[in-house]
Amino acid sequence: MAKTLLSFLLLLITLCSFGQKKYTISGTIKDGSTGEQLIGATIRIKELPQSGTATNSYGFYALYPAEGEYTLLFTYTGYQAIEQKVSLHQNMVINVPLQLKNDLKEVVIRADKPNNDNIASPQMGVEKLNMAQINQVPVLLGERDILKTISLLPGVKSAGEGNTGFYVRGGGADQNLILLDEATVYNASHFFGFFSTFNSDAIKDVSLYKGGMPAQFGGRLSSVLDIKMNEGNNKDYTVQGGLGLISSRIKVEGPIVKDKGSFMISARRTYIDFFLKASSDSTVKGSSIYFYDLNAKVNYHFDDKNAIYLSGYFGKDVLGLKNTFGTNWGNATGTIRFNHLFNDRLFSNTSVIYSNYNYVIQSFISNDNFKATSQITDVNLKEDLAYSMGNNHTLKFGLNILHHDISPGDVTSSPSSTFNTVHVEKRYGYENAAYVSDEWKTGNKLTFLYGLRLSGLFLLGPGTFKTYDTDGNLTSAKTYTSGQLVRSYINLEPRFSASYTFNEANSVKFSYNRNTQNIHLLANSTSNTPTDLYVMSSNNIKPEIADQFSTGWFSNFKDNTYEFSAEVYYKWLQNQIDYKDGAQLLVNQGVESQLTYGTGRAYGLELFLKKKYGRFNGWIGYTLSRTERKFNAINNGNYYPASQDRTHDVSVVGIYQLNKRWTFSGAFVYGTGNAVTYPTGKYNIGGLTTFSYSERNGYRLPASNRLDIGATLEGKQHKKYHSSWTFGLYNVYAHRDPYTVTFRDSKTVPNTTEAVETSIFATRIPSVTWNFKF
């Protein structure tokens, strides 16, 4: 009888659980004034504290509660929260427009402020950048710069003054995947690194993954910088821009069909060359020095389930001295995306992506005239799908087929030139990948994010492919026809992250991820230059591999006003590439014979304290780290500091809103000097002094530090017009940060050697920009 009763009770419980119907609440969150989709907006059910979710990269969300009466809370940083009561007895579509906070009273701390993703999300090592904060951080000559702001985060180190390159957790500058609307940007710098290619007016969202990368990203070892462009205002036409000391910018946006489609065009150009034309020096008067950017995007929503997006970026640098030399380099990208919602659970994004980077160097001198060119072109077909299996599981899967076309370098010259015409064969290949990942919430405390990425490189003919031994001697050469497979590499890349939430304000996380890289940068300079040479994995160059473990403590306090994290990481690097002493990399038909291969390791501690709300906000970041490399052909096979190794790195950023019109900001940075190689001896040949070097990177440049300040004055409010002034002072106390140190024979003391330190900015640099919008 007892068994029968127990069976009946179990059956009743089962029937009750099946009888509790579940429905879907889904929709899109947008900016109420522009129609821009908001990425990462938070949706919570107040009666079910653990049921929250966030919008994806296209502003879409979905929840799956049981039938009942609920209160939905929609929030997004910088926007006014909205509450909405629903009676859930069927599937519901709720599209929500959020309005920007435009009053200081809205900044007052509120009890309904949502918990930050840094607590509940299993994702670690990710930074979401707020464009409003980026626009307030003081930078060189008033040019708001995403990459400069990124370098102020812990675990991210700037490549130095005059460079937009950055290093993440011990990786090289080429080990960062930079995406602009899913298209790869290979050289993200202007003016040899003084400015980045990203015009902030055109950017909507910035996410940096420096560890625990989701499985949909791959192809680089250290980080992913995922940048999304604005889609355009689908409600009203607006024009905004700014006039600065060296450049001007303008953005035009508006609806194609109101509430259904829009466009955005943004442009920026420097005008130093206009001043050169007014010079009395005949040589300077004919010179060119400028860069420009053009961002464009259009979109159209056919209905609630189908939308298409077209975006493109075009940028170029031109630098030349009249009748002497000229160089230009630039990027071009294009993306076509089609979003389709099959149902309230399955979301699809299909993309066709184009990316091109090229440079041209010319000499016009009579007997030394030549033209050197190089180019890399990618075409990528990408399919991403997301399937929600309920509130506890979100499955993502997809694939991409990426075709590389690399022209390493060509030199053409006239018969009278002292330079020879050189042709380096093009290289072709496919870099394909498939991935699957799942975010699994096991309960109120433990959440997993795990996945697997299968990547493969297929190097194809035509061409002659050479194999070299460890000493750089040619061992074989074989010619392949067009489309013939030369070499393939297949790698599995597991990804795993987990978070354990102690309470609403504290959690601990752990992650492991493996990444591989098949596109490699060859450069014997620590700074980005337009002549950087890209090559694919080949007979001699194996895919680079990185395995990274990281763990950390995450905490929010003072009603989520403050956010704190402490992360430690350890990274193993395989198949690292360096150049042999005296290597010639540019336009070299046997460049792979000049390379050596080894291993590396990087480990460190990152501390981050951020204030998110109130009149005063900002952050403090500190990194303690080591980055080392090991090559048999260098330093007798011992570990040595990589050029980007810095023991200490500190950044402090503060932004204070005094009142409705005045906002002040400041940024202080300090970093241990880069590891460098100094001469340890010298000898004289034919009256010329030649220096000899021993230990690679055995010395360091002096530590760098700098303080920048800025202020923004908002103009008086008008119904159809708004303006503001941005003021800045770069390098407030005129500190001379070392850029290079060179050695030469002393001009005053015979038979001695002197070190000559060069600084790019050894003085204060003021800036002022007038911004407008109507």
Side-chain angles (χ1 to χ4, degrees):
M1 178 68 180
K3 289 184 178 179
T4 303
L5 180 60
L6 179 60
S7 298
F8 176 77
L9 289 173
L10 291 174
L11 178 60
L12 182 62
I13 292 172
T14 302
L15 290 173
C16 289
S17 65
F18 277 111
Q20 190 175 23
K21 295 181 180 179
K22 289 193 174 184
Y23 294 102
T24 302
I25 302 174
S26 62
T28 301
I29 309 300
K30 296 183 178 182
D31 183 307
S33 59
T34 67
E36 286 275 356
Q37 297 167 346
L38 298 179
I39 301 171
T42 302
I43 305 93
R44 288 194 300 136
I45 299 176
K46 298 187 75 171
E47 292 79 6
L48 304 172
Q50 301 299 322
S51 64
T53 189
T55 56
N56 64 11
S57 297
Y58 316 100
F60 177 78
Y61 76 93
L63 290 168
Y64 306 93
E67 186 176 21
E69 306 294 321
Y70 299 108
T71 304
L72 302 180
L73 178 64
F74 302 89
T75 58
Y76 187 71
T77 301
Y79 286 72
Q80 299 178 34
I82 288 181
E83 286 189 4
Q84 183 169 338
K85 294 186 179 296
V86 297
S87 181
L88 187 63
H89 303 291
Q90 61 181 359
N91 293 338
M92 301 181 70
V93 175
I94 302 178
N95 298 320
V96 177
L98 296 181
Q99 299 295 332
L100 275 168
K101 296 177 180 177
N102 55 12
D103 194 315
L104 285 176
K105 291 183 294 184
E106 295 293 341
V107 184
V108 175
I109 307 305
R110 295 166 53 101
D112 61 1
K113 208 180 279 87
N115 199 31
N116 196 290
D117 282 345
N118 73 310
I119 300 298
S121 171
Q123 186 73 57
M124 64 182 301
V126 61
E127 302 287 351
K128 301 284 188 179
L129 298 182
N130 184 305
M131 291 305 300
Q133 284 188 322
I134 289 176
N135 292 338
Q136 294 291 345
V137 174
V139 291
L140 178 64
L141 292 172
E143 287 295 317
R144 296 172 296 181
D145 200 312
I146 292 171
L147 298 190
K148 298 294 187 188
T149 305
I150 284 172
S151 66
L152 298 173
L153 299 172
V156 184
K157 302 179 181 182
S158 167
E161 283 191 336
N163 203 306
T164 57
F166 60 98
Y167 309 116
V168 177
R169 291 186 172 178
D174 67 314
Q175 294 174 353
N176 305 309
L177 178 63
I178 301 176
L179 300 174
L180 180 63
D181 272 4
E182 303 185 28
T184 302
V185 178
Y186 281 96
N187 190 327
S189 65
H190 286 307
F191 271 174
F192 295 100
F194 290 108
F195 308 102
S196 79
T197 58
F198 303 114
N199 181 357
S200 294
D201 284 350
I203 305 304
K204 175 171 71 172
D205 183 79
V206 180
S207 298
L208 174 68
Y209 299 88
K210 55 185 180 180
M213 296 178 199
Q216 64 262 36
F217 296 116
R220 298 296 187 275
L221 298 189
S222 292
S223 75
V224 176
L225 181 60
D226 189 20
I227 303 172
K228 306 290 188 190
M229 285 199 289
N230 285 317
E231 292 154 9
N233 191 322
N234 66 13
K235 298 183 179 298
D236 295 299
Y237 295 96
T238 65
V239 178
Q240 71 178 73
L243 300 174
L245 294 178
I246 69 165
S247 70
S248 293
R249 66 187 197 280
I250 190 168
K251 180 175 77 170
V252 181
E253 59 183 343
I256 298 174
V257 177
K258 193 170 184 177
D259 295 327
K260 293 181 71 69
S262 61
F263 73 92
M264 184 277 298
I265 300 175
S266 179
R268 176 177 61 164
R269 191 191 191 280
T270 59
Y271 31 70
I272 297 177
D273 53 318
F274 296 153
F275 297 114
L276 295 180
K277 292 180 180 180
S279 173
S280 58
D281 188 321
S282 60
T283 303
V284 173
K285 190 173 184 178
S287 300
S288 299
I289 177 170
Y290 66 90
F291 72 78
Y292 68 83
D293 295 307
L294 178 64
N295 297 77
K297 192 167 185 177
V298 296
N299 69 88
Y300 185 78
H301 293 255
F302 299 96
D303 49 41
D304 288 339
K305 294 187 176 182
N306 298 279
I308 190 169
Y309 304 82
L310 288 83
S311 61
Y313 166 78
F314 311 92
K316 186 174 287 291
D317 283 71
V318 177
L319 176 65
L321 188 61
K322 181 180 180 182
N323 300 325
T324 304
F325 79 93
T327 179
N328 65 78
W329 66 94
N331 298 275
T333 71
T335 304
I336 302 174
R337 293 191 293 114
F338 181 73
N339 287 174
H340 177 63
L341 186 64
F342 289 95
N343 51 52
D344 52 26
R345 292 181 179 267
L346 183 59
F347 182 90
S348 165
N349 176 66
T350 305
S351 304
V352 178
I353 308 159
Y354 170 85
S355 176
N356 177 274
Y357 168 68
N358 67 85
Y359 71 77
V360 178
I361 300 175
Q362 291 180 277
S363 172
F364 305 109
I365 301 174
S366 299
N367 295 325
D368 290 326
N369 63 310
F370 71 89
K371 180 180 180 180
T373 61
S374 182
Q375 178 173 283
I376 177 170
T377 303
D378 293 344
V379 178
N380 189 7
L381 174 62
K382 192 164 170 280
E383 177 66 37
D384 298 298
L385 298 111
Y387 180 74
S388 180
M389 297 181 287
N391 292 327
N392 296 330
H393 282 278
T394 302
L395 187 68
K396 294 182 180 181
F397 53 98
L399 57 87
N400 70 281
I401 301 171
L402 172 59
H403 180 265
H404 295 295
D405 182 336
I406 300 178
S407 178
D410 285 322
V411 173
T412 57
S413 58
S414 67
S416 62
S417 175
T418 57
F419 289 91
N420 296 323
T421 296
V422 180
H423 172 68
V424 181
E425 290 182 324
K426 280 189 174 185
R427 290 293 182 251
Y428 307 89
Y430 281 95
E431 189 174 10
N432 303 333
Y435 72 90
V436 60
S437 70
D438 177 34
E439 183 171 340
W440 174 30
K441 298 179 181 178
T442 62
N444 294 339
K445 293 185 177 295
L446 192 59
T447 305
F448 297 100
L449 177 62
Y450 52 93
L452 185 65
R453 183 179 179 89
L454 176 65
S455 64
L457 177 81
F458 304 91
L459 183 63
L460 306 176
T464 300
F465 293 80
K466 301 176 181 179
T467 303
Y468 301 93
D469 62 20
T470 55
D471 296 323
N473 300 313
L474 180 66
T475 60
S476 66
K478 185 176 180 180
T479 301
Y480 294 80
T481 59
S482 178
Q484 188 175 2
L485 180 64
V486 178
R487 186 67 189 263
S488 64
Y489 293 98
I490 307 294
N491 285 286
L492 281 173
E493 303 174 28
R495 314 284 175 85
F496 175 83
S497 300
S499 67
Y500 182 82
T501 303
F502 294 95
N503 49 50
E504 291 186 354
N506 296 278
S507 68
V508 63
K509 302 182 186 182
F510 168 83
S511 79
Y512 163 75
N513 61 279
R514 165 169 281 202
N515 291 78
T516 62
Q517 182 167 332
N518 285 295
I519 296 294
H520 318 279
L521 175 68
L522 304 183
N524 51 14
S525 170
T526 58
S527 60
N528 287 355
T529 68
T531 58
D532 288 342
L533 176 63
Y534 292 90
V535 296
M536 276 187 285
S537 297
S538 65
N539 295 339
N540 306 289
I541 304 175
K542 296 180 180 179
E544 299 176 69
I545 300 174
D547 294 276
Q548 180 180 192
F549 287 92
S550 58
T551 187
W553 177 273
F554 299 81
S555 179
N556 285 359
F557 53 97
K558 288 285 185 180
D559 195 24
N560 293 319
T561 302
Y562 293 90
E563 171 186 313
F564 173 77
S565 64
E567 298 183 51
V568 294
Y569 66 90
Y570 197 103
K571 184 188 295 185
W572 290 269
L573 300 164
Q574 302 177 47
N575 304 327
Q576 296 300 283
I577 304 171
D578 208 332
Y579 60 92
K580 297 177 180 178
D581 292 335
Q584 170 57 43
L585 303 181
L586 185 60
V587 196
N588 186 342
Q589 293 172 312
V591 67
E592 294 182 16
S593 68
Q594 306 291 304
L595 307 177
T596 184
Y597 309 95
T599 60
R601 62 190 181 191
Y603 48 93
L605 164 70
E606 300 170 5
L607 303 177
F608 188 51
L609 176 63
K610 181 178 182 180
K611 186 175 186 291
K612 300 183 294 181
Y613 305 104
R615 289 186 174 182
F616 176 78
N617 57 70
W619 66 85
I620 301 173
Y622 170 71
T623 305
L624 172 68
S625 63
R626 289 301 304 271
T627 303
E628 300 171 316
R629 298 291 185 265
K630 184 178 181 180
F631 294 84
N632 291 333
I634 301 174
N635 284 9
N636 299 317
N638 298 316
Y639 273 108
Y640 64 92
S643 59
Q644 66 268 27
D645 175 66
R646 289 187 209 152
T647 307
H648 304 283
D649 205 76
V650 180
S651 61
V652 181
V653 176
I655 302 170
Y656 178 68
Q657 188 173 10
L658 178 65
N659 51 44
K660 292 182 179 180
R661 299 190 63 188
W662 279 103
T663 301
F664 298 94
S665 60
F668 171 79
V669 293
Y670 170 89
T672 302
N674 284 353
V676 293
T677 304
Y678 288 163
T680 55
K682 65 178 181 179
Y683 50 91
N684 190 287
I685 299 179
L688 298 176
T689 299
T690 302
F691 293 101
S692 60
Y693 298 83
S694 57
E695 185 180 4
R696 178 79 66 90
N697 291 347
Y699 301 86
R700 287 192 180 275
L701 291 173
S704 62
N705 61 90
R706 191 186 69 249
L707 173 66
D708 307 325
I709 59 174
T712 299
L713 173 62
E714 300 290 342
K716 294 182 179 180
Q717 292 290 338
H718 299 276
K719 291 184 178 180
K720 296 184 178 181
Y721 170 81
H722 178 71
S723 69
S724 66
W725 289 89
T726 301
F727 308 94
L729 186 60
Y730 186 87
N731 197 10
V732 172
Y733 49 85
H735 182 72
R736 296 177 61 91
D737 276 342
Y739 183 68
T740 61
V741 175
T742 57
F743 295 85
R744 69 187 182 192
D745 290 330
S746 175
K747 296 180 179 180
T748 57
V749 183
N751 301 320
T752 62
T753 302
E754 63 181 8
V756 180
E757 181 181 300
T758 302
S759 299
I760 297 180
F761 304 115
T763 186
R764 304 173 185 85
I765 302 178
S767 63
V768 58
T769 303
W770 176 61
N771 308 289
F772 59 88
K773 183 176 182 179
F774 56 88

